[in-house]
Each structure stands twice: as C-alpha cells, then as structure tokens.
Amino acid sequence: MGVDMGELRGTHVPVLLERCLELLAPALDRSGATVHVDATLGLGGHAEAVLEAHPRTTLIGLDRDTEALAHSRARLARFADRIHLVHAVYDELPEVLDRLGVPAVDGILFDLGVSSLQLDEPDRGFAYARDAPLDMRMDQTRGTTAEEVVNTYSHPDLARVLRTYGEERFAGRIASAILRERERGRITSTARLAELVEAAIPAPARRTGGHPAKRTFQALRIEVNRELAALETALPAALDTLTVGGRMVVLSYQSLEDRLTKAALAERTRRQGPVDLPVELPGTGPTFRLLSRGAELAGEAEVTANPRAASVRLRAAERIDPDAERPRGAERERYRRRARAMHQGVGLTTGSTVDLREAPDDGTTTDDEKGEGS
C-alpha cells in the first residue's frame, strides 16, 4: 500500500525475541519434523527467527491483516517450502489446522495487540498522534470501523466500551462529549476524536499517564476487532492443539490481555481432582506447567532500544503428561505436610481443609506464579 517492504522490515523490531526463542527451543528441537504456529504473524520478525533457528520446523502463520501477510510472505520467501501463511484470526486456529491436515503442533506464539505495521501506517487510524480516518480495523476487508462505533453507539454502550476495554475512569464524560459532537456533525478523524477526549478529561488527570486519548483509542481498537472475545476463545483452543512437550508463549501489552492469558494457563496448571486425597487420581493432574514465575518483563536495555517493549508481559507454558509418574520423594513430603497440618490444626478453623496446592514446589507445582524461571 505504497510502503517499501524493505524499509518496514528494517523498522520492525520483534519484542523479547531471544527469550521467545529460548522458551520455544526445547519443543522445536525435538527429533524429526516439528510444527510451529505464529498466531499473530505481523511483519514476520519472530517467525523468521524461528525458521532460521529450526531448519526442520514448518511454520503456520496466521494474521487477519492482508497487508501484513503480504509483507511476511516477501520476508519469508526463502522458506517457501516450510511455511503456510493464512488469512485468519487466531480464534480460527482449529479450523486452519484441520484444513491443513495438521493434528497437533509443537510450538505456538501469540504476540498480541496492534502490530508495528498498523501503528506506523497513518491511514490505518490506530494512532491518536496522527490525523487519519477513524478505521482501526486490523482486517480492512471486513468488519465495523471505529467511525461507525463512535457515530452510532448509544451513550451507555460507548461508556461501557471505554470503561471495560480502556479502563477509562472518565468514560461517561467522554461518551457525553462524543454524543454532543455528533449532533453537530459526523466524527470522521482521529485528530478530532483525540481533541474531544482531551477536552472531556479534567485538567489534573491530563497531566499524568501519557496522552489523554490513549485509553479511548485502545478501547475502540479492541471493540472494532473483537480482540478480547477472540483471545478468550483462542487461548484454550491453542493449548488443546499442543503435543506433550509442546510450548506456548504469549506476549501481552495491556492488563486485560494478560489477565485472560493468566486465567487460561492457571486453568491447565492446577489439579482437577479432590484436594483431600494424598495422591492424584489418574487423569486429574495438571496438563501444563508454567515456564516463568509470573509475567516476565522486558529488560531496560530492550526497552531503550525498542520502546514498544515497555508494556510487554510474557507468559509461557509447556504441555505435560498428567498421568506421568510423579517424583516419589516430593509426593511423600506433600502427604507428610498435609497430615501434619491436619493433626496439629495449623491455622485451620472448623470445617476447613488443607489444599494440596499449598505444598512445596516439586517441579509439578500448580501455583500460577511459579515456573521454569523461578
């Protein structure tokens, strides 16, 4: 779309690239051919690095943005025999794998949020600092634009979107300002919307937290692209496609994405059986283990070199066999600790039980804040 592909490749810096490669390597380095899914292909920076590092790996790359797919196809041309690039949203992954005849995969990467291409192209309408049409669609071939949302949503619906997806405490005031402006004429530009938002927010609140329109633009982008609804469906579906030993890495850039990711991983890393049994019943153990303690952040050097890494939160997990034999020593210690608590009544009240998840970490912990890096 009038942008030099070489120039775009040069300006695109993949976030936490080395850490992503480190986490994915054990899953992709296994004997024989492996399959890796880049669920948010973008400009292909992470994908290119994976293909270079793992010559026996086939890449399946998904993106809803046809322009991004075109750039990635050019960038990854030398790997043409090992790539399948698909115009799809990440919640469509099961259907994509079914069409390709791929029953399971070894690695998955989600690099969420708006891509470098979308931010850097003024006419896409994602940036509040540049005047552009109010579009914000990641897939410009279909869907509702931000202009339609701003000019047609009711006050309650607009306020809900801003409050829920932007965590904007002045959502009601901003929605009122938008409705007043709509009475004078249709709102069609990002610059005008940014001005309205800034004027609606009290002056003291405008002095902190970056640009006053930042949260509103985030909320509209999420609403237009159904990002959180798609992610909520996509994460468990993606986890289901991994083989034992397969790994998934998720890069989030705002708290709502990170909360969904944390919840999806916590569901798979906790035990499903009764908590008052000294041993796990077959099939009730955790099916994943976390690979990092909590959410990992980018280091100071990376943020300095790549400011877009400032807000990143990385979480990763590996599929395990829930029926694999557990370490005997750790199991005995877990049982001893529970029995001791029951007999001594340590901190217990009438009717309470001891949760085996509180036992010391033995490498199979279900605490959703512990992992490989702890």
Side-chain angles (χ1 to χ4, degrees), residues 162-352:
L162 301 184
R163 189 179 301 112
T164 303
Y165 297 151
E167 299 178 288
E168 173 57 74
R169 60 193 174 112
F170 299 107
R173 294 177 61 139
I174 294 169
S176 295
I178 288 173
L179 262 68
R180 284 195 300 270
E181 180 69 11
R182 275 165 33 180
E183 292 176 359
R184 290 189 281 268
R186 192 171 179 86
I187 303 169
T188 60
S189 79
T190 56
R192 183 60 187 135
L193 178 61
E195 290 171 0
L196 288 171
V197 173
E198 186 167 13
I201 295 177
R206 294 201 298 263
R207 299 190 189 109
T208 59
H211 195 287
K214 176 181 178 180
R215 292 178 295 276
T216 293
F217 273 63
Q218 171 185 296
L220 291 173
R221 188 201 83 215
I222 291 172
E223 172 71 5
V224 164
N225 296 289
R226 294 184 59 257
E227 291 176 50
L228 295 181
L231 184 61
E232 192 169 14
T233 301
L235 289 172
L239 291 169
D240 286 342
T241 68
L242 284 169
T243 60
V244 172
R247 294 184 166 202
M248 184 171 84
V249 177
V250 182
L251 302 177
S252 305
Y253 296 86
Q254 43 100 345
S255 59
L256 299 172
E257 294 170 343
D258 186 51
R259 281 181 219 154
L260 285 177
T261 303
K262 181 178 179 180
L265 296 183
E267 176 66 24
R268 305 302 181 94
T269 54
R270 67 168 60 103
R271 298 174 181 85
Q272 304 299 321
V275 298
D276 58 347
L277 293 180
V279 294
E280 288 171 1
L281 297 174
T284 64
T287 53
F288 281 81
R289 70 181 184 98
L290 295 182
L291 302 175
S292 60
R293 184 179 181 87
E296 293 187 11
L297 313 180
E300 186 177 339
E302 175 159 359
V303 173
T304 300
N306 184 13
R308 287 177 186 166
S311 59
V312 72
R313 300 290 184 272
L314 179 150
R315 295 183 187 270
E318 177 184 60
R319 183 163 207 146
I320 59 175
D321 182 352
D323 295 327
E325 186 175 353
R326 299 171 57 79
R328 284 189 169 185
E331 198 64 72
R332 280 197 299 269
E333 174 58 30
R334 189 185 303 279
Y335 182 78
R336 278 198 301 269
R337 177 171 174 160
R338 177 182 176 275
R340 191 163 55 245
M342 289 180 68
H343 287 296
Q344 296 176 357
V346 180
L348 298 183
T349 58
T350 303
S352 65

Side-chain angles (χ1 to χ4, degrees), residues 100-165:
L100 293 174
V102 176
V105 304
D106 303 281
I108 302 174
L109 174 69
F110 284 86
D111 186 8
L112 300 171
V114 62
S115 74
S116 299
L117 171 64
Q118 291 153 353
L119 280 172
D120 292 340
E121 283 292 274
D123 64 348
R124 302 296 293 272
F126 287 96
Y128 42 78
R130 304 174 181 178
D131 193 17
L134 269 174
D135 193 321
M136 297 194 194
R137 290 173 300 167
M138 292 178 177
D139 181 353
Q140 292 191 299
T141 68
R142 58 185 175 180
T144 302
T145 65
E147 180 181 335
E148 292 174 76
V149 172
V150 166
N151 288 284
T152 64
Y153 275 30
S154 67
H155 184 283
D157 284 342
L158 261 181
R160 172 189 55 78
V161 167
L162 301 184
R163 189 179 301 112
T164 303
Y165 297 151

